[in-house]
């Protein structure tokens, strides 16, 4: 899935994202609003991981969920 498709399916993905990264708030998801880069930034802020690690986690999550 490319970044445009990610944004287009955002509403469907939010629930799955909150299951994977439970520390994200509704405000975090509202701020990200379908932006891959903003989502990575919010996860990075909440969990304190490097950008590269979070990008890999999101990639793995997307692959697992066929997103």
């Amino acid at each position: 899935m490319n970044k445009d498709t990610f944004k287009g399916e955002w509403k469907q993905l939010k629930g799955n994202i909150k299951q994977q990264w439970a520390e994200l708030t509704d405000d975090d998801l509202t701020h990200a609003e379908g932006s891959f880069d903003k989502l990575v930034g919010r996860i990075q802020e909440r969990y304190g991981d490097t950008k590269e690690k979070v990008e890999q986690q999101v990639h793995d999550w997307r692959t697992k969920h066929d997103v």
Side-chain angles (χ1 to χ4, degrees):
M1 171 189 292
N2 64 34
K3 291 181 182 180
D4 291 331
T5 305
F6 187 79
K7 186 172 184 172
E9 296 182 7
W10 181 247
K11 289 182 181 179
Q12 297 171 354
L13 299 174
K14 288 193 305 187
N16 288 332
I17 291 168
K18 284 187 76 173
Q19 287 177 344
Q20 178 69 31
W21 292 282
E23 290 185 25
L24 292 178
T25 66
D26 288 334
D27 287 340
D28 290 329
L29 296 177
T30 299
H31 181 282
E33 198 56 49
S35 168
F36 177 83
D37 295 329
K38 288 181 180 180
L39 176 62
V40 167
R42 288 296 175 146
I43 294 169
Q44 188 178 1
E45 287 176 15
R46 292 285 178 210
Y47 289 88
D49 294 326
T50 65
K51 181 178 180 180
E52 293 78 16
K53 182 176 179 179
V54 172
E55 285 177 340
Q56 185 61 52
Q57 290 173 344
V58 173
H59 173 74
D60 293 346
W61 172 83
R62 289 170 62 182
T63 301
K64 180 181 175 183
H65 290 87
D66 195 31
V67 177

